Amino acid sequence: MDALQQIQDEAQLVGWRTAHLGRSAPVMQVFARMGSIPKELRQQVGQKANQVKVALENALEERAAVLRREALERKLTAERLDVTLPGRLPAFGRAHPATQALDEICAIFIEMGFQIYRSPEVETEEMNFELLNIPAHHPARDMWDTFHTTTPGVILRTHTSPGQIRAMREMAPNPIRVILPGMVYRYEQTNASHEMQFNQVELLAVGQHITFADLKGTLESFARRMFGENARTRFRPSYFPFTEPSAEVDMECFICGGKGCGVCRGSGWLEIGGCGMVHPVVLQNGGYDPAVYSGFAAGLGPERIAMLKYHIEDIRYFWANDIRFLEQF
Ligand code: FA5
């Protein structure tokens, strides 16, 4: 019995059982030799042997139970979980600030009754230039430095305006009120306000009796919805081959309140887009009779708008992929 108390594991327990309760164990030998015991003693010896056997079995079971308890105790201590330890927060992903700005601008125009029209980023020179009244060798092509592909005549669009032709050709002669958001590409020297890839949101409205007042009203309303009731815009006469007349839309610089700062280069204003009345040649290329139909178009720069709204001083932050910048939005 003392030996039993020293036992520490399952294997030793099995050894003990074989030695004390196995076939050749002394008490079992008594049972095996019962035949050679005088008849009158058999019952007494049998009872005694049985008591010994039961006592041994009980002692074994008791020790086994103690060992099981101890093993469980050890396991619980070794594998203890501190459930009060605070968890580690997973990093949350979110939409890129340029996408957020694009979504916000689109939501405003959708509210104003415009529909989204999708148009490809890889374009033909014909759509990007010729059909927009910019013939090859026309000096206006210098306005947009182009990324060419290895396929002649196929380029990365330099603006979202080719989508005007695609939308008109699909919808003529019905009235149109669409926006065309998406990425454009220019082979450009980058600086604080110029990137070589950026988004544009094109606006196009075509119908009867559409005037420049509709264009101004639409863009002014947009600026107020985006920047608040006091947002100030101004229209400067400009030139685009696909609109006549043409203008540039500026927003009052939010950072300096129009006083002039580094971001607006001292002018107090920041250009957010170009616009104008759709040129008769472009209307015709889209399948509309310019004697009956008129339209307005605009091309806005969402990153520039986001720069104003969130006081971002350099457009190059957008694609630099610096997590410290991205986490702020
Ligand atoms: C155009 O791209 C014309 N397609 C806009 C237009 C559409 C005029 C419809 C008339 C009718 P522009 O090159 O000025 O024009 O670009 C329009 C806007 O895109 C700019 O006002 C500016 O907000 C943004 N933008 C232009 N170049 C860059 C650049 N390199 N980086 C970031 N934003 C730019």
Side-chain angles (χ1 to χ4, degrees):
M1 289 292 187
D2 278 352
L4 190 57
Q5 298 315 312
Q6 305 304 317
I7 281 176
Q8 294 303 333
D9 62 33
E10 182 74 15
Q12 289 174 340
L13 218 51
V14 171
W16 191 90
R17 175 201 286 278
T18 313
H20 300 285
L21 287 163
R23 201 183 298 225
S24 43
V27 67
M28 301 313 262
Q29 287 297 315
V30 173
F31 290 120
R33 296 202 199 128
M34 210 49 109
S36 61
I37 290 172
K39 235 183 186 157
E40 60 277 18
L41 290 177
R42 260 184 219 163
Q43 191 185 0
Q44 210 183 345
V45 170
Q47 271 174 357
K48 276 281 172 220
N50 215 37
Q51 279 169 7
V52 170
K53 180 172 164 264
V54 169
L56 286 170
E57 279 170 352
N58 286 346
L60 179 74
E61 184 41 48
E62 231 168 76
R63 184 67 195 154
V66 168
L67 285 182
R68 274 200 301 274
R69 225 176 12 252
E70 281 176 4
L72 181 66
E73 212 64 57
R74 271 197 306 277
K75 207 168 164 212
L76 285 176
T77 320
E79 296 176 6
R80 186 154 80 208
L81 276 182
D82 182 356
V83 291
T84 65
L85 211 63
R88 285 186 209 106
L89 264 191
F92 285 109
R94 69 196 90 175
H96 190 279
T99 308
Q100 290 184 32
L102 203 60
D103 287 350
E104 198 176 342
I105 293 167
C106 290
I108 290 173
F109 284 116
I110 287 167
E111 204 176 86
M112 290 165 72
F114 286 80
Q115 287 186 315
I116 292 187
Y117 188 88
R118 290 274 172 201
S119 157
E121 291 177 23
V122 179
E123 260 299 3
T124 61
E125 281 193 83
E126 191 190 19
M127 285 281 179
N128 197 85
F129 294 119
E130 268 103 68
L131 293 169
L132 290 171
N133 202 25
I134 320 168
H137 311 301
H138 188 286
R141 283 221 184 177
D142 293 345
M143 289 167 82
W144 299 282
D145 292 305
T146 311
F147 282 112
H148 294 267
T149 69
T150 46
T151 311
V154 177
I155 59 164
L156 298 185
R157 65 177 176 188
T158 60
H159 52 177
T160 42
S161 299
Q164 289 186 31
I165 301 287
R166 292 184 180 272
M168 283 193 271
R169 288 192 168 173
E170 188 177 320
M171 300 187 200
N174 298 308
I176 299 179
R177 191 160 53 183
V178 292
I179 51 172
L180 304 97
M183 196 64 87
V184 305
Y185 305 86
R186 290 187 196 175
Y187 186 58
E188 234 175 340
Q189 189 84 46
T190 60
N191 60 32
S193 55
H194 290 81
E195 254 297 1
M196 47 195 253
Q197 86 172 72
F198 54 97
N199 287 291
Q200 282 191 339
V201 177
E202 191 88 6
L203 261 77
L204 175 68
V206 179
Q208 294 180 31
H209 319 299
I210 288 181
T211 69
F212 200 91
D214 297 318
L215 170 61
K216 267 192 97 170
T218 302
L219 290 176
E220 276 171 3
S221 172
F222 161 75
R224 283 199 300 273
R225 286 167 194 244
M226 186 85 194
F227 291 94
E229 275 309 305
N230 299 322
R232 293 216 299 155
T233 49
R234 72 174 184 190
F235 291 75
R236 274 180 294 116
S238 185
Y239 172 75
F240 295 101
F242 36 89
T243 45
E244 180 59 35
S246 304
E248 223 110 40
V249 201
D250 295 342
M251 270 283 319
E252 188 172 62
C253 181
F254 247 59
I255 294 170
C256 61
K259 290 190 195 70
C261 66
V263 175
C264 56
R265 292 205 206 93
S267 71
W269 297 88
L270 224 129
E271 178 193 312
I272 57 167
C275 63
M277 300 305 291
V278 182
H279 196 286
V281 168
V282 175
L283 280 174
Q284 211 147 26
N285 289 340
Y288 289 84
D289 179 357
V292 181
Y293 293 92
S294 60
F296 70 71
L300 306 177
E303 283 86 0
R304 294 264 182 90
I305 293 169
M307 285 169 82
L308 277 174
K309 186 145 185 173
Y310 303 116
H311 300 202
I312 299 164
E313 301 204 349
D314 196 315
I315 197 169
R316 287 166 294 194
Y317 291 147
F318 279 99
W319 313 123
N321 261 346
D322 186 332
I323 202 86
R324 291 168 302 177
F325 170 74
L326 299 175
E327 272 176 353
Q328 295 175 44
F329 299 92

